[in-house]
Amino acid sequence: MTISAVVAVAICGVVLFSAISGWILPQSQASGDVTATVVRATIPILVTCGGELESAQGVQVLCEVELKEGVKIVEMAPEGAVVTEGDVVIRLDPSALNDQLAAQEIAVTQADAMVKAATEDLKIQKNLAASTIAEAELAKTLAELDLEKYLEGDYSVELNELQGSIALKQTELQEAKETVEFYSDLVKKGFRTPEQLRAKEQAVEQASYELTSNEERLEVLKQYTRKRQVAELTAKADEAGRELERAKGSSAATVAKAQSDLDVAEATARLEHQQLQRLQRQIELCEITAPSRGTLVYSHGQKDPLDPGDTVHFKQKLFTITNLARMQVKAFVHESDVKKVRGGLPAEVRVDALPDLTLRGQVESVADFYDGTRHWLSGGVKEYSTIIAIDGVPEGGLKPGMTSQVQIRVGELSDCLTVPIPAVVDNDGRYYCYVMTSDGAERRSVRIGANTESYVEITQGLAERERVALDARYRWQSELDNGGHGEEPSEGAASLARAD
């Protein structure tokens, strides 16, 4: 902010104040000009800001009911009441939550039933898996036994039977041949008939045929039947082994699916129970109690203040339990001044509701970031939240939320030449005063230093006790309108920087 802007804001107030209070602005007897004397003084530099009273020790309570559409207030304790820990402050309408709770209880019952069904199904699948695997193992064992039985039992028995039969047939054939020879001699001697010999010869043929048949059967047994039976029984045993593996895999998959279904059902049931507990807790939170002893102060809602029937939302500030013995001001410092303010600086506080009361305190903290809500509401003005701790709070009268004005002493103009701000005019970074002389007002270029809301430091161009006109801006404009402002005085710099 340039000094010309400060002049524009302050000149009316300064002139009015001088007229009312008899400030050091006597009028010139010759012309009636309002003037001030250049004096050497120590003047405090103040940052003025507004804010609200609040408790320095307070517990803030928020709405914890998580309904998207919000929840209505049905009952409230009176503001300003002294409450103790556990006292009911606000009751919220739980009807919507009760409806959700009823539906959730049904969901929990269904989820528990699904868990029971999944548990029984898992038991059934495990039993079926055990039976299937046992059957497959039995089939494999029997197939292996069939192979072993054939190799070590049936084949040997059949082999021995054929070999024994062959030996018997060989004996029978030999005996039949000997009988034929014997009958042949008897026929020659006439003791037997040719028909009898022929019958014996047929017995030889029969024995030979049976011997040949048994020998062929033995060869088939060794060359074909044994191989076929071994191959078939081996294949059955192998297939039974593969079937056992398939049964194990299928059973494991079935049991795993049943276990997965049970896990899902249990997880779902846990979530439903958690939701039920959350809703039960939400219903409990509809009865909001005081967390500690103190004075009850409600927060501002969409309208001021909160009333029964208002709708509040999750995490909305509802009230604060305050300690009125320790108060502070939450003030908002403009971004142009915030760099001057730091913790520990002294401050004076005036409360609009108690204009005769002046409170003293000090800066406790300054926010690092500007207040976004105020920035939006004020159309882009950036202000920083600053906490002013108040010393010696008087009993009674002060209430949280009262509008307050704060003056923070950020420094001082020490032992310097000063003039009121309306005595200086700024023209593109060059500053001028109108010095009263015996010949009238003389425009003079000056250098300035720091300034307060009412005074500016003069570092060059004026002498102590000289008198300056308090309508410098008006005089400058008059000269401009009359075609003045020719050659500038040699004093002064091309650019005078303002010191903060």
Side-chain angles (χ1 to χ4, degrees):
M1 183 183 296
T2 63
I3 191 169
S4 60
V6 176
V7 170
V9 175
I11 185 168
C12 295
V14 172
V15 173
L16 178 62
F17 177 78
S18 66
I20 295 173
S21 63
W23 185 41
I24 55 170
L25 299 176
Q27 294 182 345
S28 169
Q29 293 180 356
S31 63
D33 296 325
V34 180
T35 63
T37 303
V38 180
V39 297
R40 187 174 298 278
T42 298
I43 302 173
I45 301 175
L46 303 176
V47 169
T48 301
C49 52
E52 290 184 353
L53 280 175
E54 63 181 21
S55 174
Q57 288 183 335
V59 181
Q60 193 172 73
V61 177
L62 310 179
C63 175
E64 299 294 341
V65 179
E66 301 179 34
L67 283 176
K68 183 178 180 180
E69 63 277 12
V71 58
K72 287 186 177 181
I73 299 173
V74 295
E75 186 178 340
M76 299 173 63
E79 186 171 26
V82 177
V83 295
T84 59
E85 183 177 355
D87 287 351
V88 177
V89 176
I90 292 178
R91 283 191 174 90
L92 304 176
D93 182 8
S95 56
L97 290 170
N98 286 331
D99 293 341
Q100 293 184 18
L101 180 65
Q104 188 60 33
E105 287 174 343
I106 295 174
V108 167
T109 300
Q110 293 174 339
D112 290 341
M114 290 180 63
V115 171
K116 291 180 180 179
T119 301
E120 293 302 319
D121 183 61
L122 179 60
K123 291 180 181 178
I124 293 171
Q125 294 303 327
K126 285 183 176 180
N127 289 335
L128 289 175
S131 298
T132 301
I133 292 172
E135 290 177 1
E137 288 177 340
L138 177 60
K140 180 176 181 294
T141 300
L142 292 178
E144 291 172 346
L145 288 175
D146 287 343
L147 176 61
E148 184 180 355
K149 172 177 174 290
Y150 178 76
L151 290 174
E152 298 181 6
D154 295 347
Y155 173 73
S156 297
V157 170
E158 190 173 357
L159 179 63
N160 291 333
E161 286 180 352
L162 286 174
Q163 288 176 342
S165 177
I166 289 171
L168 178 61
K169 294 303 180 181
Q170 288 175 343
T171 301
E172 291 177 352
L173 177 61
Q174 184 62 36
E175 291 178 350
K177 287 180 178 181
E178 291 176 353
T179 300
V180 168
E181 291 178 358
F182 177 69
Y183 268 71
S184 180
D185 291 339
L186 291 178
V187 169
K188 289 178 181 179
K189 293 179 179 181
F191 294 110
R192 292 288 188 270
T193 64
E195 288 77 10
Q196 290 177 324
L197 177 61
R198 182 60 184 165
K200 297 302 181 183
E201 288 176 346
Q202 289 178 346
V204 169
E205 291 176 358
Q206 181 66 31
S208 176
Y209 170 77
E210 291 179 354
L211 175 60
T212 301
S213 176
N214 285 337
E215 287 176 344
E216 290 176 350
R217 288 175 58 194
L218 178 61
E219 187 65 21
V220 170
L221 176 64
K222 289 181 177 180
Q223 295 299 323
Y224 304 105
T225 303
R226 180 181 181 278
K227 291 181 180 179
R228 183 182 184 284
Q229 285 294 99
V230 169
E232 182 178 356
L233 294 174
T234 300
K236 288 183 177 179
D238 292 342
E239 179 61 24
R242 289 191 290 271
E243 181 62 27
L244 175 60
E245 293 303 318
R246 286 194 295 270
K248 288 181 178 179
S250 176
S251 298
T254 302
V255 171
K257 182 180 182 303
Q259 182 65 58
S260 176
D261 291 343
L262 176 59
D263 293 341
V264 170
E266 289 177 340
T268 301
R270 283 195 298 271
L271 291 176
E272 297 294 355
H273 277 279
Q274 290 173 2
Q275 178 66 4
L276 178 64
Q277 293 172 357
R278 191 188 72 83
L279 287 172
Q280 290 171 339
R281 176 57 180 162
Q282 287 284 290
I283 291 175
E284 292 175 0
L285 291 173
C286 285
E287 189 174 85
I288 304 171
T289 59
S292 61
R293 178 179 174 80
T295 302
L296 175 62
V297 178
Y298 286 110
S299 301
H300 294 180
Q302 295 298 322
K303 62 177 182 176
D304 187 15
L306 289 175
D307 288 318
D310 288 350
T311 298
V312 293
H313 296 81
F314 181 59
K315 293 304 180 183
Q316 180 176 336
K317 299 175 183 178
L318 297 180
F319 61 87
T320 304
I321 303 300
T322 63
N323 179 1
L324 298 184
R326 293 192 60 188
M327 301 291 285
Q328 63 186 24
V329 176
K330 184 176 183 180
F332 295 91
V333 177
H334 192 274
E335 61 179 328
S336 62
D337 292 322
V338 72
K339 62 181 178 295
K340 307 173 188 177
V341 180
R342 63 183 184 278
L345 290 177
E348 286 189 354
V349 177
R350 288 181 173 83
V351 182
D352 290 0
L354 302 170
D356 297 331
L357 177 64
T358 300
L359 303 172
R360 300 190 181 279
Q362 60 278 334
V363 176
E364 188 169 281
S365 64
V366 182
D368 293 327
F369 300 95
Y370 66 86
D371 189 288
T373 301
R374 291 178 63 89
H375 173 67
W376 180 76
L377 292 175
S378 62
V381 176
K382 295 180 181 178
E383 295 177 314
Y384 291 76
S385 173
T386 303
I387 301 300
I388 310 298
I390 298 176
D391 300 331
V393 177
E395 293 185 5
L398 295 183
K399 303 292 184 182
M402 285 184 171
T403 303
S404 305
Q405 303 301 322
V406 179
Q407 286 188 331
I408 304 171
R409 182 165 180 164
V410 297
E412 62 182 14
L413 302 178
S414 179
D415 191 26
C416 60
L417 294 178
T418 62
V419 296
I421 284 178
V424 181
V425 63
D426 173 18
N427 180 49
D428 294 331
R430 302 183 68 178
Y431 301 92
Y432 302 93
C433 288
Y434 286 85
V435 183
M436 307 308 296
T437 68
S438 58
D439 296 328
E442 172 190 326
R443 175 163 53 89
R444 187 182 301 174
S445 178
V446 297
R447 291 178 183 268
I448 68 170
N451 67 274
T452 68
E453 292 183 345
S454 303
Y455 300 95
V456 61
E457 178 185 10
I458 303 298
T459 61
Q460 183 178 326
L462 295 179
E464 189 174 358
R465 297 189 178 282
E466 285 187 307
R467 302 196 65 77
V468 292
L470 288 180
D471 55 354
R473 187 178 183 84
Y474 172 77
R475 291 175 183 271
W476 176 272
Q477 187 63 42
S478 297
E479 289 185 11
L480 183 63
D481 293 341
N482 294 327
H485 303 166
E487 182 180 354
E488 300 294 345
S490 58
E491 298 91 332
S495 176
L496 298 178
R498 172 187 171 189
D500 289 324

